[in-house]
Amino acid sequence: MEQLKKSLRDGMSVMEGLIVMAIVVSMSAQVLVSFTGLNDNASLQQAARDLALNLRTAQNMSIAVSLPFGFVQTPPITGIHITNQSGSYALFGDKSIPPNFIYNPPTETIQTFKFERNIIINRVIIDSVEAPSTQQENIAFVSPEATLYIVNDATGSSLGDKMVIELLARSGQIKKVIVRTTGQISIQ
């Protein structure tokens, strides 16, 4: 018993100290890895919400009577310009007479949005068919009733009734924003 009391007073040996430090470092690393995944998940969720919100903003602008900044008349078409494998997208107003559904930067740009934390538009799926990685699409709302069209940016031709925009975080997590020509915008 006397020896036990003496060893407790003497403290830990170097080996015991190293073992305790290794355990603490290992636990810290686990927490740090988990926290990074949580951060990416939160950023991905925020990016999907922002994209959906900006789609609704474009929809509301096509109904509204107020002018976007830099426009002298209400654009007949407002929309979101999407590019595959990109970390940004643009809110635009089609100034062409007659409207052509084609985004012409910078004169038609209302605002450009950039995803945070290296989130990108991984791929775009239109009516169950994946769009080519270089293709650019527009989600356009036509005034005055905010009729929604999903169109090819190069030709202005209609592509389908449903677009799935897949967002990708650097951790590999995926979030989808779904847009239908009925006007429904949802996040999965």
Side-chain angles (χ1 to χ4, degrees), residues 116-136:
E116 294 181 8
R117 299 183 59 89
N118 297 324
I119 292 173
I120 63 166
I121 297 170
N122 186 45
R123 62 188 184 141
V124 176
I125 302 164
I126 301 169
D127 288 343
S128 302
V129 177
E130 187 172 343
S133 61
T134 57
Q135 186 165 318
Q136 299 179 2

Side-chain angles (χ1 to χ4, degrees), residues 19-57:
I19 291 171
V20 168
M21 295 237 343
I23 291 170
V24 169
V25 167
S26 173
M27 290 173 61
S28 297
Q30 291 286 340
V31 168
L32 186 60
V33 167
S34 296
F35 184 70
T36 302
L38 289 173
N39 246 354
D40 278 355
N41 187 34
S43 295
L44 187 61
Q45 182 69 26
Q46 185 64 43
R49 285 183 190 151
D50 287 347
L51 177 56
L53 177 67
N54 290 323
L55 282 161
R56 293 193 194 289
T57 299

Side-chain angles (χ1 to χ4, degrees), residues 46-106:
Q46 185 64 43
R49 285 183 190 151
D50 287 347
L51 177 56
L53 177 67
N54 290 323
L55 282 161
R56 293 193 194 289
T57 299
Q59 188 177 33
N60 289 337
M61 288 176 111
S62 70
I63 298 170
V65 292
S66 60
L67 292 175
F69 180 76
F71 285 74
V72 293
Q73 66 181 31
T74 303
I77 296 173
T78 54
I80 297 287
H81 174 75
I82 302 283
T83 304
N84 272 345
Q85 300 298 312
S86 173
S88 63
Y89 58 96
L91 173 64
F92 72 95
D94 189 350
K95 290 183 175 180
S96 303
I97 308 282
N100 60 11
F101 293 93
I102 296 173
Y103 170 58
N104 298 305

Side-chain angles (χ1 to χ4, degrees), residues 75-184:
I77 296 173
T78 54
I80 297 287
H81 174 75
I82 302 283
T83 304
N84 272 345
Q85 300 298 312
S86 173
S88 63
Y89 58 96
L91 173 64
F92 72 95
D94 189 350
K95 290 183 175 180
S96 303
I97 308 282
N100 60 11
F101 293 93
I102 296 173
Y103 170 58
N104 298 305
T107 60
E108 294 182 344
T109 304
I110 296 171
Q111 189 171 358
T112 301
F113 301 95
K114 184 169 176 25
F115 295 119
E116 294 181 8
R117 299 183 59 89
N118 297 324
I119 292 173
I120 63 166
I121 297 170
N122 186 45
R123 62 188 184 141
V124 176
I125 302 164
I126 301 169
D127 288 343
S128 302
V129 177
E130 187 172 343
S133 61
T134 57
Q135 186 165 318
Q136 299 179 2
E137 295 87 9
N138 294 330
I139 302 162
F141 298 94
V142 180
S143 295
E145 297 174 11
T147 307
L148 192 148
Y149 293 92
I150 299 168
V151 297
N152 180 299
D153 186 57
T155 63
S157 60
S158 180
L159 295 173
D161 295 326
K162 175 183 168 186
M163 176 187 278
V164 178
I165 305 163
E166 188 179 271
L167 302 179
L168 174 69
R170 64 180 170 204
S171 63
Q173 296 172 329
I174 292 174
K175 207 56 135 161
K176 296 176 182 177
V177 178
I178 301 166
V179 182
R180 299 179 190 273
T181 53
T182 58
Q184 179 187 11

